[in-house]
Amino acid sequence: MSEFVRNLRLWFAPQEIRQEGRTPDYRFSLANERTFLAWLRTALALIGGGFAVDQFLPDLRWAWRAGLALGLLGAGVLCSLRAINHWVRCERAMRRGDDLPASRFPALLSIAVAVVAVAMVVIVVVGWEG
Amino acid sequence: MKVPAPERDPGLQPERTRLAWRRTTLSITVAAVLAAKTALHDRTAAGFTAVTLCGLFWLGFLALAHLRIRALATTQTGLAPRLRTRHAAAATLCTAALAVCAVALVF
């Protein structure tokens, strides 16, 4: 069975993850769950940021406001999907005794947040002058 | 005869996990309140539909968090039930769906 089909099957038959490998210490599973929730909160903060841009920068030109809001909301969706994907991968790695999965996502997210922050500073400064 | 005290995890892992669910509930509440503010500002029929959906997803997440907190609070340490994939997927769905409603609200 290919890896992809196995991954898909896990989503619809969650009991299969429990048959694989050894059951890890429950404390590790709970720590993994807290990490998942922390990523979910990050996603919710990005969504809140999207609303905030729309609501609290009314003087901004529509294209800028919409672009920033859409970017933040899109990042929120990505972040929440990545949260569960990473949780499943970590859970499986712990059962198999593999290394925990490495990820480029935190670096990409920090760069995206930095770009949005710089854009906001520029917009606010230009807005004050204009 | 002394009744043995219930075993307690010195790292308080179940308690910390419960608090993490509470923090996340608080975060989604803030997002839902911002959604309501946007809908009240725009006052369109589509906006009210989107904010109703947001409210439903918020309630769904509240129910999921409540179930999980109760499961963690009532079981003995060492037998703490693991998060089910379906439960995690439902929580993710509520978050992502809220963002989709947000897109509908903002535009």
Side-chain angles (χ1 to χ4, degrees), chain A residues 14 18 23-24 26-27 29-30 33-34 36-37 40-41 44 47-48 51 54-56 62 66 69-70 73 77 80-81 84 87, chain B residues 9 13 16-17 20-21 23-24 27-28 31 34-35 37-38 68 77-78 82-86 88-89 92 95 99 102 106-107:
Chain A
R18 258 176 279 154
T23 304
Y26 82 99
R27 286 171 292 184
S29 280
L30 289 182
E33 179 179 344
R34 289 198 296 276
F36 163 68
L37 289 172
L40 226 48
R41 283 197 295 279
L44 286 165
I47 295 168
F51 277 127
D54 182 56
Q55 281 292 296
F56 300 116
W62 185 84
L70 198 64
L73 292 173
V77 172
S80 63
L81 293 179
I84 188 163
W87 176 79
Chain B
D9 176 4
Q13 302 277 346
R16 283 161 59 191
T17 310
W21 275 101
R23 286 199 293 279
T24 313
S27 300
I28 202 166
L34 283 170
K37 188 187 181 304
T38 307
R68 186 69 188 139
T77 313
R82 272 153 225 288
L83 182 64
R84 309 272 305 262
T85 311
R86 228 174 276 155
T92 307
T95 310
V106 168
F107 295 100

CSV table of all heavy atoms in Angstrom, one decimal, chain A residues 14 18 23-24 26-27 29-30 33-34 36-37 40-41 44 47-48 51 54-56 62 66 69-70 73 77 80-81 84 87, chain B residues 9 13 16-17 20-21 23-24 27-28 31 34-35 37-38 68 77-78 82-86 88-89 92 95 99 102 106-107:
chain,number,residue,atom,x,y,z
A,14,PRO,N,-9.5,6.2,12.4
A,14,PRO,CA,-8.5,6.7,13.4
A,14,PRO,C,-8.0,5.6,14.4
A,14,PRO,O,-7.0,5.7,15.0
A,14,PRO,CB,-9.2,7.8,14.2
A,14,PRO,CG,-10.7,7.5,13.9
A,14,PRO,CD,-10.8,6.9,12.6
A,18,ARG,N,-3.8,3.5,16.4
A,18,ARG,CA,-3.6,2.9,17.7
A,18,ARG,C,-3.0,1.5,17.6
A,18,ARG,O,-2.4,0.9,18.5
A,18,ARG,CB,-4.8,2.8,18.5
A,18,ARG,CG,-4.9,3.9,19.6
A,18,ARG,CD,-6.2,3.9,20.3
A,18,ARG,NE,-7.2,4.6,19.5
A,18,ARG,CZ,-8.5,4.4,19.6
A,18,ARG,NH1,-8.9,3.5,20.4
A,18,ARG,NH2,-9.3,5.1,18.9
A,23,THR,N,2.4,2.1,22.1
A,23,THR,CA,1.7,3.3,22.7
A,23,THR,C,2.7,4.1,23.4
A,23,THR,O,3.3,3.6,24.4
A,23,THR,CB,0.6,2.8,23.6
A,23,THR,OG1,-0.3,2.0,22.9
A,23,THR,CG2,-0.2,4.0,24.1
A,24,PRO,N,2.9,5.4,23.1
A,24,PRO,CA,3.8,6.2,23.8
A,24,PRO,C,3.3,6.6,25.2
A,24,PRO,O,2.1,6.4,25.5
A,24,PRO,CB,4.0,7.5,23.0
A,24,PRO,CG,2.8,7.6,22.2
A,24,PRO,CD,2.2,6.2,22.0
A,26,TYR,N,1.7,8.5,28.1
A,26,TYR,CA,0.6,9.4,27.9
A,26,TYR,C,1.0,10.9,28.0
A,26,TYR,O,0.4,11.8,27.4
A,26,TYR,CB,-0.5,9.1,28.9
A,26,TYR,CG,-0.3,9.7,30.2
A,26,TYR,CD1,-1.0,10.8,30.6
A,26,TYR,CD2,0.5,9.1,31.2
A,26,TYR,CE1,-0.8,11.4,31.8
A,26,TYR,CE2,0.7,9.6,32.4
A,26,TYR,CZ,0.0,10.8,32.7
A,26,TYR,OH,0.3,11.4,34.0
A,27,ARG,N,2.1,11.1,28.8
A,27,ARG,CA,2.5,12.5,28.9
A,27,ARG,C,3.0,13.1,27.6
A,27,ARG,O,2.8,14.3,27.3
A,27,ARG,CB,3.6,12.6,30.0
A,27,ARG,CG,3.1,12.4,31.4
A,27,ARG,CD,4.2,12.3,32.4
A,27,ARG,NE,4.9,11.1,32.2
A,27,ARG,CZ,6.0,10.7,32.9
A,27,ARG,NH1,6.3,11.4,33.9
A,27,ARG,NH2,6.6,9.6,32.7
A,29,SER,N,1.9,12.2,24.7
A,29,SER,CA,0.7,12.5,23.8
A,29,SER,C,0.0,13.8,24.3
A,29,SER,O,-0.4,14.6,23.4
A,29,SER,CB,-0.3,11.3,24.0
A,29,SER,OG,0.1,10.2,23.2
A,30,LEU,N,-0.1,14.0,25.6
A,30,LEU,CA,-0.7,15.2,26.1
A,30,LEU,C,0.1,16.5,25.7
A,30,LEU,O,-0.4,17.5,25.3
A,30,LEU,CB,-0.9,15.2,27.6
A,30,LEU,CG,-1.9,14.2,28.1
A,30,LEU,CD1,-2.0,14.3,29.6
A,30,LEU,CD2,-3.3,14.5,27.5
A,33,GLU,N,-0.7,17.2,22.2
A,33,GLU,CA,-2.0,17.8,22.1
A,33,GLU,C,-1.9,19.3,22.4
A,33,GLU,O,-2.5,20.1,21.8
A,33,GLU,CB,-2.9,17.1,23.1
A,33,GLU,CG,-4.3,17.7,23.1
A,33,GLU,CD,-5.2,16.9,24.1
A,33,GLU,OE1,-4.9,15.8,24.5
A,33,GLU,OE2,-6.3,17.5,24.4
A,34,ARG,N,-1.1,19.6,23.5
A,34,ARG,CA,-1.0,21.1,23.8
A,34,ARG,C,-0.3,21.8,22.7
A,34,ARG,O,-0.6,23.0,22.4
A,34,ARG,CB,-0.2,21.2,25.1
A,34,ARG,CG,-1.0,20.8,26.3
A,34,ARG,CD,-0.3,21.3,27.6
A,34,ARG,NE,1.0,20.8,27.8
A,34,ARG,CZ,1.3,19.6,28.4
A,34,ARG,NH1,0.3,18.9,28.8
A,34,ARG,NH2,2.5,19.2,28.6
A,36,PHE,N,-0.5,21.1,19.5
A,36,PHE,CA,-1.6,21.3,18.5
A,36,PHE,C,-2.5,22.4,18.9
A,36,PHE,O,-2.8,23.3,18.0
A,36,PHE,CB,-2.4,19.9,18.5
A,36,PHE,CG,-3.7,20.0,17.8
A,36,PHE,CD1,-3.8,20.3,16.5
A,36,PHE,CD2,-4.9,19.8,18.6
A,36,PHE,CE1,-5.1,20.3,15.9
A,36,PHE,CE2,-6.1,19.9,18.0
A,36,PHE,CZ,-6.2,20.1,16.6
A,37,LEU,N,-2.9,22.5,20.2
A,37,LEU,CA,-3.8,23.6,20.6
A,37,LEU,C,-3.1,25.0,20.5
A,37,LEU,O,-3.7,26.0,20.1
A,37,LEU,CB,-4.2,23.4,22.0
A,37,LEU,CG,-5.2,22.3,22.2
A,37,LEU,CD1,-5.5,22.0,23.6
A,37,LEU,CD2,-6.5,22.6,21.5
A,40,LEU,N,-3.3,26.0,17.0
A,40,LEU,CA,-4.7,26.4,16.7
A,40,LEU,C,-4.9,27.8,17.2
A,40,LEU,O,-5.6,28.6,16.5
A,40,LEU,CB,-5.7,25.4,17.4
A,40,LEU,CG,-6.8,24.9,16.6
A,40,LEU,CD1,-6.4,24.4,15.2
A,40,LEU,CD2,-7.5,23.8,17.4
A,41,ARG,N,-4.3,28.2,18.4
A,41,ARG,CA,-4.5,29.5,18.9
A,41,ARG,C,-3.7,30.5,18.0
A,41,ARG,O,-4.2,31.6,17.8
A,41,ARG,CB,-3.9,29.6,20.3
A,41,ARG,CG,-4.8,29.1,21.4
A,41,ARG,CD,-4.4,29.6,22.7
A,41,ARG,NE,-3.1,29.1,23.1
A,41,ARG,CZ,-2.8,27.9,23.6
A,41,ARG,NH1,-3.8,27.0,23.8
A,41,ARG,NH2,-1.6,27.5,23.9
A,44,LEU,N,-6.0,31.2,15.2
A,44,LEU,CA,-7.1,32.0,15.6
A,44,LEU,C,-6.6,33.5,15.8
A,44,LEU,O,-7.4,34.4,15.4
A,44,LEU,CB,-7.7,31.5,16.9
A,44,LEU,CG,-8.6,30.3,16.8
A,44,LEU,CD1,-8.8,29.7,18.2
A,44,LEU,CD2,-9.9,30.6,16.1
A,47,ILE,N,-6.6,34.9,12.3
A,47,ILE,CA,-7.9,35.2,11.9
A,47,ILE,C,-8.4,36.5,12.6
A,47,ILE,O,-9.0,37.4,11.9
A,47,ILE,CB,-8.9,34.0,12.2
A,47,ILE,CG1,-8.5,32.8,11.4
A,47,ILE,CG2,-10.3,34.4,11.9
A,47,ILE,CD1,-9.1,31.5,11.8
A,48,GLY,N,-8.2,36.6,13.9
A,48,GLY,CA,-8.5,37.9,14.6
A,48,GLY,C,-7.8,39.1,14.0
A,48,GLY,O,-8.4,40.1,13.9
A,51,PHE,N,-9.7,40.2,10.9
A,51,PHE,CA,-10.9,41.1,11.3
A,51,PHE,C,-10.4,42.4,11.7
A,51,PHE,O,-11.0,43.4,11.4
A,51,PHE,CB,-11.6,40.4,12.4
A,51,PHE,CG,-12.6,39.3,12.0
A,51,PHE,CD1,-12.5,38.1,12.6
A,51,PHE,CD2,-13.6,39.6,11.1
A,51,PHE,CE1,-13.4,37.1,12.3
A,51,PHE,CE2,-14.4,38.6,10.7
A,51,PHE,CZ,-14.4,37.3,11.3
A,54,ASP,N,-9.6,44.8,8.9
A,54,ASP,CA,-10.8,45.2,8.2
A,54,ASP,C,-11.5,46.3,9.0
A,54,ASP,O,-12.1,47.2,8.5
A,54,ASP,CB,-11.7,44.0,8.0
A,54,ASP,CG,-12.9,44.4,7.2
A,54,ASP,OD1,-12.8,45.0,6.1
A,54,ASP,OD2,-14.0,44.1,7.7
A,55,GLN,N,-11.5,46.1,10.4
A,55,GLN,CA,-12.4,46.9,11.2
A,55,GLN,C,-11.7,48.2,11.7
A,55,GLN,O,-12.3,49.3,11.8
A,55,GLN,CB,-12.8,46.1,12.4
A,55,GLN,CG,-13.9,45.2,12.1
A,55,GLN,CD,-15.2,46.0,11.8
A,55,GLN,OE1,-15.7,46.7,12.7
A,55,GLN,NE2,-15.7,45.9,10.6
A,56,PHE,N,-10.4,48.1,12.0
A,56,PHE,CA,-9.7,49.2,12.7
A,56,PHE,C,-8.8,50.0,11.8
A,56,PHE,O,-8.1,50.9,12.2
A,56,PHE,CB,-8.9,48.7,13.9
A,56,PHE,CG,-9.8,48.0,14.9
A,56,PHE,CD1,-9.7,46.6,15.1
A,56,PHE,CD2,-10.9,48.6,15.5
A,56,PHE,CE1,-10.5,45.9,16.0
A,56,PHE,CE2,-11.7,48.0,16.4
A,56,PHE,CZ,-11.5,46.7,16.6
A,62,TRP,N,-9.1,50.4,-0.3
A,62,TRP,CA,-9.8,49.1,-0.2
A,62,TRP,C,-8.9,48.0,-0.6
A,62,TRP,O,-8.9,47.0,0.1
A,62,TRP,CB,-11.1,49.1,-1.1
A,62,TRP,CG,-11.8,47.8,-0.9
A,62,TRP,CD1,-12.7,47.6,0.0
A,62,TRP,CD2,-11.7,46.7,-1.7
A,62,TRP,NE1,-13.2,46.3,-0.1
A,62,TRP,CE2,-12.6,45.7,-1.2
A,62,TRP,CE3,-10.9,46.3,-2.9
A,62,TRP,CZ2,-12.7,44.4,-1.8
A,62,TRP,CZ3,-11.0,45.1,-3.4
A,62,TRP,CH2,-11.9,44.1,-2.8
A,66,ALA,N,-8.1,44.9,1.9
A,66,ALA,CA,-8.6,43.6,1.5
A,66,ALA,C,-7.4,42.6,1.4
A,66,ALA,O,-7.5,41.5,1.8
A,66,ALA,CB,-9.4,43.7,0.2
A,69,ALA,N,-6.1,41.7,4.9
A,69,ALA,CA,-7.1,40.9,5.6
A,69,ALA,C,-7.1,39.5,5.0
A,69,ALA,O,-7.1,38.5,5.7
A,69,ALA,CB,-8.5,41.5,5.5
A,70,LEU,N,-7.1,39.4,3.7
A,70,LEU,CA,-7.2,38.1,3.0
A,70,LEU,C,-5.9,37.3,3.3
A,70,LEU,O,-6.0,36.1,3.6
A,70,LEU,CB,-7.3,38.3,1.5
A,70,LEU,CG,-7.8,37.1,0.7
A,70,LEU,CD1,-9.2,36.7,1.2
A,70,LEU,CD2,-7.8,37.3,-0.8
A,73,LEU,N,-6.1,36.0,6.9
A,73,LEU,CA,-7.1,34.9,7.0
A,73,LEU,C,-6.6,33.7,6.3
A,73,LEU,O,-6.8,32.6,6.9
A,73,LEU,CB,-8.5,35.4,6.4
A,73,LEU,CG,-9.2,36.5,7.2
A,73,LEU,CD1,-10.4,37.0,6.4
A,73,LEU,CD2,-9.6,36.0,8.6
A,77,VAL,N,-6.0,29.9,8.0
A,77,VAL,CA,-6.5,28.6,7.5
A,77,VAL,C,-5.4,27.6,7.3
A,77,VAL,O,-5.4,26.4,7.8
A,77,VAL,CB,-7.2,28.7,6.1
A,77,VAL,CG1,-7.6,27.4,5.5
A,77,VAL,CG2,-8.5,29.5,6.3
A,80,SER,N,-4.1,26.3,10.7
A,80,SER,CA,-4.9,25.4,11.4
A,80,SER,C,-4.8,24.0,10.7
A,80,SER,O,-4.8,23.0,11.4
A,80,SER,CB,-6.4,25.8,11.4
A,80,SER,OG,-6.9,25.9,10.1
A,81,LEU,N,-4.7,24.0,9.4
A,81,LEU,CA,-4.6,22.7,8.7
A,81,LEU,C,-3.2,22.1,9.0
A,81,LEU,O,-3.1,20.8,9.2
A,81,LEU,CB,-4.7,22.8,7.2
A,81,LEU,CG,-6.1,23.2,6.7
A,81,LEU,CD1,-6.2,23.4,5.2
A,81,LEU,CD2,-7.2,22.2,7.1
A,84,ILE,N,-3.1,20.2,12.6
A,84,ILE,CA,-3.6,18.8,12.7
A,84,ILE,C,-2.6,17.9,12.0
A,84,ILE,O,-2.3,16.8,12.4
A,84,ILE,CB,-5.0,18.6,12.3
A,84,ILE,CG1,-5.5,17.2,12.6
A,84,ILE,CG2,-5.3,18.9,10.8
A,84,ILE,CD1,-6.9,17.0,12.7
A,87,TRP,N,0.3,17.3,14.2
A,87,TRP,CA,-0.1,16.5,15.3
A,87,TRP,C,-0.1,15.0,14.9
A,87,TRP,O,0.4,14.2,15.6
A,87,TRP,CB,-1.5,16.9,15.8
A,87,TRP,CG,-2.0,16.1,16.9
A,87,TRP,CD1,-1.6,16.2,18.2
A,87,TRP,CD2,-3.0,15.1,16.8
A,87,TRP,NE1,-2.3,15.3,19.0
A,87,TRP,CE2,-3.2,14.6,18.1
A,87,TRP,CE3,-3.7,14.5,15.8
A,87,TRP,CZ2,-4.1,13.5,18.4
A,87,TRP,CZ3,-4.6,13.5,16.1
A,87,TRP,CH2,-4.8,13.0,17.4
B,9,ASP,N,-0.2,13.2,38.9
B,9,ASP,CA,1.0,13.4,38.0
B,9,ASP,C,1.7,14.6,38.5
B,9,ASP,O,1.2,15.7,38.6
B,9,ASP,CB,0.5,13.6,36.6
B,9,ASP,CG,1.6,13.9,35.7
B,9,ASP,OD1,2.8,13.8,36.1
B,9,ASP,OD2,1.4,14.1,34.5
B,13,GLN,N,0.2,17.1,34.0
B,13,GLN,CA,0.0,17.2,32.5
B,13,GLN,C,-1.5,17.3,32.2
B,13,GLN,O,-1.8,18.1,31.3
B,13,GLN,CB,0.6,15.9,31.9
B,13,GLN,CG,2.1,15.7,32.1
B,13,GLN,CD,2.9,16.5,31.2
B,13,GLN,OE1,2.4,17.0,30.2
B,13,GLN,NE2,4.2,16.6,31.5
B,16,ARG,N,-2.6,20.9,32.7
B,16,ARG,CA,-2.1,21.8,31.8
B,16,ARG,C,-2.8,21.7,30.4
B,16,ARG,O,-3.0,22.7,29.7
B,16,ARG,CB,-0.6,21.6,31.6
B,16,ARG,CG,0.2,22.1,32.7
B,16,ARG,CD,1.6,21.5,32.8
B,16,ARG,NE,2.4,21.7,31.7
B,16,ARG,CZ,3.6,21.1,31.5
B,16,ARG,NH1,4.0,20.3,32.4
B,16,ARG,NH2,4.2,21.3,30.4
B,17,THR,N,-3.1,20.4,30.1
B,17,THR,CA,-3.8,20.2,28.8
B,17,THR,C,-5.2,20.8,28.9
B,17,THR,O,-5.7,21.4,27.9
B,17,THR,CB,-3.9,18.7,28.5
B,17,THR,OG1,-2.5,18.2,28.6
B,17,THR,CG2,-4.4,18.5,27.1
B,20,ALA,N,-5.0,24.4,28.4
B,20,ALA,CA,-4.7,24.8,27.0
B,20,ALA,C,-6.0,24.8,26.2
B,20,ALA,O,-6.2,25.7,25.4
B,20,ALA,CB,-3.7,23.8,26.4
B,21,TRP,N,-6.9,23.8,26.5
B,21,TRP,CA,-8.2,23.9,25.8
B,21,TRP,C,-9.0,25.1,26.2
B,21,TRP,O,-9.6,25.7,25.4
B,21,TRP,CB,-9.0,22.6,26.2
B,21,TRP,CG,-8.7,21.4,25.3
B,21,TRP,CD1,-7.9,20.4,25.7
B,21,TRP,CD2,-9.1,21.2,24.0
B,21,TRP,NE1,-7.8,19.5,24.6
B,21,TRP,CE2,-8.6,20.0,23.6
B,21,TRP,CE3,-10.0,21.9,23.1
B,21,TRP,CZ2,-8.8,19.4,22.3
B,21,TRP,CZ3,-10.2,21.3,21.9
B,21,TRP,CH2,-9.6,20.1,21.5
B,23,ARG,N,-7.7,28.1,27.1
B,23,ARG,CA,-7.1,29.2,26.4
B,23,ARG,C,-7.6,29.3,25.0
B,23,ARG,O,-7.9,30.3,24.4
B,23,ARG,CB,-5.6,29.1,26.4
B,23,ARG,CG,-4.9,29.4,27.7
B,23,ARG,CD,-3.4,29.7,27.5
B,23,ARG,NE,-2.7,28.5,27.1
B,23,ARG,CZ,-2.2,27.6,27.8
B,23,ARG,NH1,-2.5,27.6,29.1
B,23,ARG,NH2,-1.5,26.6,27.3
B,24,THR,N,-7.6,28.1,24.3
B,24,THR,CA,-8.0,28.1,22.9
B,24,THR,C,-9.5,28.5,22.8
B,24,THR,O,-9.9,29.2,21.9
B,24,THR,CB,-7.8,26.6,22.4
B,24,THR,OG1,-6.5,26.2,22.8
B,24,THR,CG2,-7.9,26.6,20.9
B,27,SER,N,-9.6,32.1,22.8
B,27,SER,CA,-9.1,32.7,21.6
B,27,SER,C,-10.2,32.7,20.5
B,27,SER,O,-10.4,33.7,19.8
B,27,SER,CB,-7.9,31.9,21.0
B,27,SER,OG,-6.9,32.0,21.9
B,28,ILE,N,-11.0,31.6,20.5
B,28,ILE,CA,-12.0,31.5,19.4
B,28,ILE,C,-13.2,32.4,19.8
B,28,ILE,O,-13.8,32.9,18.9
B,28,ILE,CB,-12.5,30.0,19.2
B,28,ILE,CG1,-13.1,29.9,17.8
B,28,ILE,CG2,-13.4,29.5,20.2
B,28,ILE,CD1,-13.3,28.5,17.3
B,31,ALA,N,-12.2,35.8,18.5
B,31,ALA,CA,-12.4,35.8,17.0
B,31,ALA,C,-13.9,35.9,16.7
B,31,ALA,O,-14.3,36.7,15.8
B,31,ALA,CB,-11.8,34.5,16.4
B,34,LEU,N,-15.1,39.5,17.3
B,34,LEU,CA,-14.7,40.4,16.2
B,34,LEU,C,-15.6,40.1,15.0
B,34,LEU,O,-15.9,41.1,14.3
B,34,LEU,CB,-13.2,40.1,15.9
B,34,LEU,CG,-12.2,40.7,16.8
B,34,LEU,CD1,-10.8,40.2,16.6
B,34,LEU,CD2,-12.2,42.2,16.7
B,35,ALA,N,-16.0,38.9,14.7
B,35,ALA,CA,-16.9,38.6,13.6
B,35,ALA,C,-18.2,39.3,13.8
B,35,ALA,O,-18.7,39.9,12.9
B,35,ALA,CB,-17.1,37.1,13.5
B,37,LYS,N,-18.7,42.0,15.5
B,37,LYS,CA,-18.5,43.4,15.4
B,37,LYS,C,-18.5,43.8,13.9
B,37,LYS,O,-19.2,44.8,13.5
B,37,LYS,CB,-17.2,43.8,16.0
B,37,LYS,CG,-17.0,45.3,16.1
B,37,LYS,CD,-15.6,45.7,16.6
B,37,LYS,CE,-15.5,47.2,16.6
B,37,LYS,NZ,-15.8,47.9,15.3
B,38,THR,N,-17.9,43.0,13.1
B,38,THR,CA,-17.8,43.3,11.6
B,38,THR,C,-19.2,43.2,11.1
B,38,THR,O,-19.6,44.1,10.3
B,38,THR,CB,-16.9,42.2,10.9
B,38,THR,OG1,-15.7,42.2,11.6
B,38,THR,CG2,-16.7,42.6,9.5
B,68,ARG,N,-13.6,17.3,25.9
B,68,ARG,CA,-12.2,17.0,26.2
B,68,ARG,C,-11.8,17.3,27.6
B,68,ARG,O,-11.2,16.5,28.3
B,68,ARG,CB,-11.4,17.7,25.2
B,68,ARG,CG,-9.9,17.3,25.2
B,68,ARG,CD,-9.7,15.9,24.7
B,68,ARG,NE,-8.3,15.5,24.9
B,68,ARG,CZ,-7.9,14.4,25.3
B,68,ARG,NH1,-8.8,13.4,25.6
B,68,ARG,NH2,-6.6,14.1,25.5
B,77,THR,N,-5.1,9.6,36.6
B,77,THR,CA,-3.8,9.8,36.0
B,77,THR,C,-3.2,8.5,35.5
B,77,THR,O,-3.3,7.5,36.1
B,77,THR,CB,-2.8,10.5,37.0
B,77,THR,OG1,-3.6,11.5,37.7
B,77,THR,CG2,-1.6,11.0,36.4
B,78,GLY,N,-2.5,8.6,34.4
B,78,GLY,CA,-1.9,7.4,33.8
B,78,GLY,C,-2.9,6.8,32.8
B,78,GLY,O,-2.5,6.0,32.0
B,82,ARG,N,-6.4,9.5,25.3
B,82,ARG,CA,-5.7,10.2,24.2
B,82,ARG,C,-6.7,11.0,23.4
B,82,ARG,O,-7.8,10.6,23.2
B,82,ARG,CB,-4.9,9.2,23.4
B,82,ARG,CG,-3.6,8.9,23.9
B,82,ARG,CD,-3.2,7.5,23.4
B,82,ARG,NE,-2.6,6.8,24.6
B,82,ARG,CZ,-1.4,7.1,25.1
B,82,ARG,NH1,-0.6,8.0,24.5
B,82,ARG,NH2,-0.9,6.5,26.1
B,83,LEU,N,-6.2,12.1,22.8
B,83,LEU,CA,-7.0,12.9,21.8
B,83,LEU,C,-7.2,12.0,20.6
B,83,LEU,O,-6.3,11.4,20.0
B,83,LEU,CB,-6.2,14.1,21.5
B,83,LEU,CG,-7.0,15.1,20.6
B,83,LEU,CD1,-8.2,15.6,21.2
B,83,LEU,CD2,-6.0,16.3,20.2
B,84,ARG,N,-8.5,11.9,20.2
B,84,ARG,CA,-8.8,11.1,19.0
B,84,ARG,C,-8.6,11.9,17.8
B,84,ARG,O,-8.8,13.1,17.8
B,84,ARG,CB,-10.3,10.7,19.1
B,84,ARG,CG,-10.7,10.0,20.4
B,84,ARG,CD,-10.5,8.5,20.3
B,84,ARG,NE,-11.1,7.9,19.2
B,84,ARG,CZ,-12.3,7.3,19.3
B,84,ARG,NH1,-13.0,7.3,20.4
B,84,ARG,NH2,-12.8,6.7,18.2
B,85,THR,N,-8.2,11.3,16.7
B,85,THR,CA,-8.0,12.0,15.5
B,85,THR,C,-9.2,12.7,15.0
B,85,THR,O,-9.2,13.9,14.6
B,85,THR,CB,-7.5,11.0,14.4
B,85,THR,OG1,-6.5,10.2,14.9
B,85,THR,CG2,-7.0,11.8,13.2
B,86,ARG,N,-10.4,12.1,15.2
B,86,ARG,CA,-11.7,12.7,14.8
B,86,ARG,C,-11.9,14.0,15.6
B,86,ARG,O,-12.4,15.0,15.0
B,86,ARG,CB,-12.8,11.7,15.0
B,86,ARG,CG,-13.7,11.5,13.9
B,86,ARG,CD,-14.7,10.4,14.2
B,86,ARG,NE,-14.1,9.1,13.9
B,86,ARG,CZ,-14.6,7.9,14.5
B,86,ARG,NH1,-15.5,8.0,15.4
B,86,ARG,NH2,-14.1,6.8,14.1
B,88,ALA,N,-9.7,15.9,17.0
B,88,ALA,CA,-8.8,17.0,16.6
B,88,ALA,C,-9.2,17.5,15.2
B,88,ALA,O,-9.1,18.7,15.0
B,88,ALA,CB,-7.3,16.4,16.5
B,89,ALA,N,-9.7,16.6,14.4
B,89,ALA,CA,-10.1,17.1,13.0
B,89,ALA,C,-11.3,18.0,13.1
B,89,ALA,O,-11.4,19.0,12.4
B,89,ALA,CB,-10.4,15.9,12.1
B,92,THR,N,-10.1,21.4,14.3
B,92,THR,CA,-9.5,22.1,13.2
B,92,THR,C,-10.5,22.7,12.2
B,92,THR,O,-10.4,23.8,11.7
B,92,THR,CB,-8.5,21.2,12.4
B,92,THR,OG1,-7.7,20.6,13.4
B,92,THR,CG2,-7.7,21.9,11.4
B,95,THR,N,-12.1,25.8,13.3
B,95,THR,CA,-11.2,27.0,13.2
B,95,THR,C,-11.1,27.4,11.7
B,95,THR,O,-11.3,28.6,11.4
B,95,THR,CB,-9.8,26.6,13.7
B,95,THR,OG1,-9.9,26.0,15.0
B,95,THR,CG2,-8.9,27.8,13.7
B,99,ALA,N,-12.5,30.9,9.6
B,99,ALA,CA,-11.7,31.8,8.7
B,99,ALA,C,-12.4,31.9,7.4
B,99,ALA,O,-12.4,33.0,6.8
B,99,ALA,CB,-10.3,31.2,8.5
B,102,ALA,N,-15.0,34.3,7.8
B,102,ALA,CA,-14.4,35.7,8.0
B,102,ALA,C,-14.2,36.3,6.6
B,102,ALA,O,-14.4,37.5,6.4
B,102,ALA,CB,-13.1,35.6,8.7
B,106,VAL,N,-15.7,39.8,5.4
B,106,VAL,CA,-14.8,41.0,5.1
B,106,VAL,C,-15.1,41.5,3.7
B,106,VAL,O,-15.0,42.7,3.4
B,106,VAL,CB,-13.4,40.6,5.3
B,106,VAL,CG1,-12.4,41.6,4.7
B,106,VAL,CG2,-13.1,40.4,6.8
B,107,PHE,N,-15.5,40.6,2.7
B,107,PHE,CA,-15.7,41.0,1.3
B,107,PHE,C,-17.2,41.1,1.0
B,107,PHE,O,-18.0,40.5,1.6
B,107,PHE,CB,-15.0,40.0,0.4
B,107,PHE,CG,-13.5,40.1,0.6
B,107,PHE,CD1,-12.9,39.2,1.3
B,107,PHE,CD2,-12.8,41.2,0.1
B,107,PHE,CE1,-11.5,39.3,1.5
B,107,PHE,CE2,-11.5,41.3,0.3
B,107,PHE,CZ,-10.8,40.3,1.0
